[in-house]
Amino acid sequence: MCGIVGYIGKNEAKPILLDGLKRMEYRGYDSAGIAVLEGTNISTCKKEGKLSNLLSALESQEITGRVGIGHTRWATHGQPNDINAHPHSDCRDEIFIIHNGIIENFHELREKLKKHHELTTETDTEVLAHLIEDEMTEGVLLEQAVQQALSHVVGAYGIAVVSSKDPEKIVAARLGSPLVLGIIGEGEFIIASDPTAIIPYTREVVYLDEGEIVTVTPKGYDIRTLENITVTKDVTKIDWDVAQAEKQGYDHFLLKEIMEQPEVIHNGIRGRLIPEEGVAHLGGFLQKEEEWRKIDRITIVACGTASFAAKIGATMIEEYAGVPTRVEIGSEFRYKKPVLDDRTGVIVVSQSGETADTIASLREAKRHGSLTFGIVNVVGSTIAREVDSGAYIHAGPEISVASTKAFVGMVNIFALVTIALGRQREMSLVTGQRIAKELTDIPKLMDQVLALDKQIAKIAKKYYALDHAFYMGRKYNEPIAYEGALKIKEISYLHAEGYAAGEFKHGAIALIDDRFFSVFIAPQDSVYEKNLSNIQEVRARGGKVIAVTTEGNTDMENFADDVIYIPKTLEMLTPLLSVIPLQLFAYHVAKLRDCDIDQPRNLAKSVTVE
Ligand code: AGP
């Protein structure tokens, strides 16, 4: 996610802001900028790309002042470029704002503001600057204007605002995006979205909670709710070192990203689901709604983990939208003679949006005149720019090479696409409502599975020294078998194979002996009894079995050596829960095998070569 930093005190703000932005670079971003006040004069500079571009631009610009804000942007609305970089300002450049998060109702607000304001960017953030401008009439304090402006906003935000009309002040507020106030000393404060920017200056911090707004001046700070009720907060001491702070206290980015998965589902469905109507509102789908209505078959193209998400999506679409759907891996697709035409929809799935094999497949599909749709995490990436339309996963930057939160984000978007396609076709209101309702419950259910981390770490201790594993599942969980096997391979180097459980007896079962363990993803779903037979086949040959099944199904303890229970949900959504124990298991096995978990050998985060 984006990085926010603000400073007010007795020193020059610019170097402190730039240092803070540098310390937050690890989070991933695609543009950066600062705004600094000297008296009632505001200077600003913002550039696309890495911080080095901003630093070069600042060499030719004299910026001084002891109050300022800085931002590294992870684009969610609008291409990464100089114009869309933060800070954003009002019509008269008297108010400057930086923002983390997503304003859901920004189209509606933008339409209203356009009547009296000149909006110059594609961003949702700029809308906030003009809302504050409207509120900041004579005698209104900046914090009062910000409070009023935020009362019109629906969405998630962490913001920091300065104004030449109320100088010597920073106002910051949070709803859904973290903000921390660092107390450096008498009349000297730093505000940031991430403690890594604060630790070098102070460890005395105040964490803002949801719906709180802080006003900081050289005289001190004042925290209120958005309803203007004063809040007294404890000052806490950060005891992390910087390396830990980057991972928010986790030992590895991988574990941090696994734990962020409930938030990824929230971010993915935010503003896109209307449960009472049983419909999904995906902007990219609605742009081509009539074209998608004419589509009579779908090909999904992806690589690696994204291809397993694609397999789940294909099963969802066939079962609930009735459109024949197949999955092709990017490295194979274009070398076969793909049968594509203008009635074929081609969905490409990619976290990075830069995977060479997937890009080449997309271009091949476009050459055949097929309608294309992208499910991508990185805004403004090549795939995001070349598809006819698409939906961003909104998983935030995925730092660890092994994909986890982006995977569940992809499956989440496929569930929305399934509703969108299905409700164009035979899917009933009731079915749409049921899927939408179950999807909104998933983050809570994910929290329950994440709470099993200690139990899973204990199970990992029993198996980490073995060298071979089979992962097996059926239907919606066959791809989870492949994903679970890939996870443990790529971060712990333990050899594992994913298998369709029913296929195992056609040869591979010959391998079972005490060097192997088998992981079965066997929730109580439409194929549970079949999975149970396969488990018994493995056990009868002395194979060790770890089973992932639905909570309450304690009968499984008669068939498996270790059982991990997941909450019940709609069958098509079980992968969002069943994948988590496998991610945590792979993580703990890799830790016990002392592997380089975030940067495994031989791997790159994005495979930009064929
Ligand atoms: C997944 O853990 C791997 N890092 C890899 O399989 C990855 O999913 C694949 O390279 C596709 O990457 P993309 O989603 O960025 O296109």
Side-chain angles (χ1 to χ4, degrees), residues 302-308 349-355 358 383 398 400-404 406 410 483 486-487 490 603-607:
C303 301
T305 286
S307 74
F308 305 144
V349 192
S350 175
Q351 188 286 129
S352 62
E354 300 300 344
T355 299
T358 311
I383 291 176
E398 189 174 63
S400 196
V401 166
S403 185
T404 51
M410 292 166 186
E483 172 58 10
L486 176 60
K487 276 301 101 31
E490 62 179 333
L603 297 185
K605 183 59 187 170
S606 176
V607 182

Side-chain angles (χ1 to χ4, degrees), residues 219-239:
K219 294 191 178 67
Y221 64 91
D222 169 77
I223 300 178
R224 295 170 186 253
T225 66
L226 290 172
E227 295 71 33
N228 207 29
I229 296 159
T230 301
V231 179
T232 308
K233 311 276 293 180
D234 294 338
V235 176
T236 52
K237 191 170 176 56
I238 300 180
D239 56 8

